Amino acid sequence: MWSSELRDAAYYHGYRGEGGEADGWLYFRNQEGVPGEIALAIGPADDGSPWFMAIDHPGVIAEFEAASAGPPPGRFRAAYAFATRAQLHDGINRVFHLARSVPDYPLTAFLEETAYLGDTEAERVLRQRKGQDRFRTALLDYWQSRCPLSGVAESRLLRASHIVPWALCDSDAKRLDVHNGLLLAAHLDAAFDSGLASFDDFGALLLKNELGPAEIGLLDVSGRRIANLTDAHRKNLSWHRRHFGF
C-alpha cells in the first residue's frame, strides 16, 4: 500500500524511472533528462505519516524550503519531512521544477538544441531565439509561473527579464542562468529593462525620481518585495543598480 502511494506521487510529478528500494526508501529519476534523483519513504505512524523525501541535486537543495528530516539515505545529500500527502506532492513538484531551472540544466538543454547551428546571421538569430525561449521556460519553472512581486500569474502578461542584459552577458552560461533573471509582469519588466526601476538586496522595488505620479501609481506594489532572492540574484541586481545609476 505504502509503496504504491509513493510510486503514484513520484509518477504524477514526472519521476517515472524507478531505481529500486532499500531500507524503506523508494528511488526515482526523471526519464526526460532532468537531472537529479529523489527517494521517498513513509514513517511508521498508523495514519501513514509523516512522509519523507530525499534529494541528491545540490542546486535544488540550495533553493528548496522544507523541514529537515535528519540524515538522508546513501549518497543523497538532504532529506525532508512532510506532515501530509498533499505537502509531499507539493514538494516533489517543486523539486522537479527547480531541477529544470537551476544551473546547469537550461544551459545544457540549450547547447543540445543548438548544436547543429552554424554561424550565419540567420543561425545566430535562431540561436538567440532558442536561448531566450529556454530562459523563459526556466524562469517560469523557478518562479512557479507567477510574478514574485505583483502576483500576476497570466502567462501572457509575464516577461522573462534579464538582470544583466543578454547582449552584455559574457557567456551563454550567464545568459541562461535563472539567477540572472526575474519573471515580471509586463509593466514591471518594461520599467526594469529600461532602467527606470530596479530592486535592492531585499527585493524591494526602486524607482527613478524622474517618473511622474501616474507612472509611480501604475508601478506601485504596496510595499511588497521579491522574497527568497539568492546571493547570485543580489550580485546581478547590484550590477543592474550600478549600470542604471541607482
Side-chain angles (χ1 to χ4, degrees):
M1 174 64 177
W2 67 270
S3 60
S4 65
E5 290 187 72
L6 295 179
R7 189 172 289 107
D8 288 347
Y11 275 42
Y12 186 78
H13 297 289
Y15 289 94
R16 301 188 174 107
E18 296 191 38
E21 176 185 347
D23 300 323
W25 290 87
L26 290 178
Y27 298 85
F28 302 91
R29 66 187 179 280
N30 184 277
Q31 294 180 308
E32 299 176 3
V34 177
E37 297 182 40
I38 62 171
L40 303 178
I42 295 180
D46 292 339
D47 63 357
S49 64
W51 307 72
F52 297 98
M53 175 172 58
I55 308 173
D56 68 347
H57 191 311
V60 172
I61 292 168
E63 306 271 358
F64 190 66
E65 295 184 357
S68 179
R75 60 179 176 72
F76 283 70
R77 299 167 180 256
Y80 306 91
F82 305 89
T84 67
R85 182 188 291 107
Q87 289 176 357
L88 174 68
H89 274 264
D90 288 344
I92 299 171
N93 182 60
R94 183 61 178 148
V95 166
F96 173 77
H97 287 286
L98 282 172
R100 290 204 312 184
S101 60
V102 295
D104 295 305
Y105 179 73
L107 174 63
T108 300
F110 166 71
L111 293 176
E112 291 175 354
E113 289 173 359
T114 59
Y116 70 94
L117 292 175
D119 196 39
T120 67
E121 178 63 25
E123 288 170 313
R124 287 194 295 271
V125 170
L126 180 57
R127 180 181 288 106
Q128 179 172 338
R129 184 182 304 123
K130 285 182 174 292
Q132 291 172 338
D133 288 346
R134 175 60 61 180
F135 183 67
R136 176 179 171 81
T137 298
L139 285 182
L140 286 166
D141 279 324
Y142 186 87
W143 293 107
Q144 302 176 74
S145 299
R146 184 179 300 273
C147 172
L149 191 67
S150 68
V152 168
E154 169 53 66
S155 63
R156 290 169 293 185
L157 295 176
L158 295 173
R159 301 290 182 268
S161 302
H162 275 88
I163 302 174
V164 178
W166 177 280
L168 298 182
C169 291
D170 57 10
S171 66
D172 286 335
K174 183 75 168 180
R175 295 183 182 102
L176 276 294
D177 184 357
V178 289
H179 301 118
N180 184 35
L182 300 170
L183 187 69
L184 297 177
H187 64 302
L188 292 167
D189 166 70
F192 183 72
D193 188 59
S194 65
L196 293 171
S198 191
F199 297 92
D200 68 16
D201 283 346
F202 301 99
L205 182 66
L206 306 173
L207 298 175
K208 284 288 184 68
N209 293 332
E210 62 204 73
L211 290 172
E215 291 79 16
I216 292 173
L218 176 65
L219 297 167
D220 178 44
V221 288
S222 303
R224 284 174 285 177
R225 63 185 183 86
I226 298 175
N228 303 320
L229 290 174
T230 66
D231 287 342
H233 285 120
R234 294 187 183 96
K235 180 178 179 180
N236 289 317
L237 286 170
S238 177
W239 179 96
H240 189 273
R241 293 193 300 270
R242 292 195 306 272
H243 183 74
F244 287 108
F246 280 86

